[in-house]
Amino acid sequence: MSLNKQKITIEHKYRGSIEFPDTIEAKDIFFKTKQAYANHEKMSINLLFSDAKLAQLKKYQKGGAEKELLNLDFYIHLGEILGFDTNDAQQLKKRIQIINDTAHSSFNITKRLKLINKKQKSQAKQSYLFWDIENFSSIASIFNDIIEPYKISDTNIFLAANPDSLYLKRAEWEANLYDYGKTLNSFNFIKCDHGKNVADDVLLQNFQDAGLRNTNVFILTFDRELKERFSEIAHPSNNLFIMAQ
């Protein structure tokens, strides 16, 4: 039997075996759940989380609450083996995934990011993001897959949107950013004029004005022409990442 696998025995009766997740809470959850079940106590997610922790989990968690999701899956699996109701745990799991957008596997940014100006990534001192938010508004994915892993500061993030998109989507964008403790004005946000390519021109000008060297540069746009324009003016010391089609 695996070192991480534990037999479940209650009242001298073998009920099955379960694989432990790689979390420091797993052993405690196992014994608390097993004892509560044996004592015919009410089974609930309070065996895993305090009321304060449950309130915290209703908000965005840095890292997507990965550890908590592992513990929830462990508890749910215990319920399947022992036959107790885990509906509250399943509902909490769904809520965490929605809030943190960890269920966005169908659109994983990191799988589509492509280094376009060299074969191998060179050493970079910092990272910048140039973000056409009106055409690329998957905010949670951008935070989870780019901003947080690359530790991009607010001052190094440039956003642009035209007035029509801003009017229609600002409330939605601000609501999604709120989960991260941000607003549009937390960054270098530019409200553009009307016209095709205006937002693109603004982002390109911001990039050119920054005069970046030895930097990771992320360009979030689906516009092929804009990708080419960034590539043309990027200094060779930079690592230029775009979204592959």
Side-chain angles (χ1 to χ4, degrees), residues 136-181:
F136 207 90
S137 56
S138 182
I139 288 171
S141 300
I142 292 164
F143 270 86
N144 294 339
D145 298 335
I146 298 178
I147 293 174
E148 289 176 352
Y150 285 88
K151 298 179 173 63
I152 306 178
S153 66
D154 293 353
T155 55
N156 289 2
I157 297 174
F158 292 82
L159 288 82
N162 70 39
D164 294 334
S165 295
L166 192 60
Y167 175 77
L168 293 171
K169 299 182 180 180
R170 181 164 194 149
E172 176 187 341
W173 294 338
E174 294 280 15
N176 291 333
L177 285 169
Y178 179 79
D179 290 332
Y180 300 84

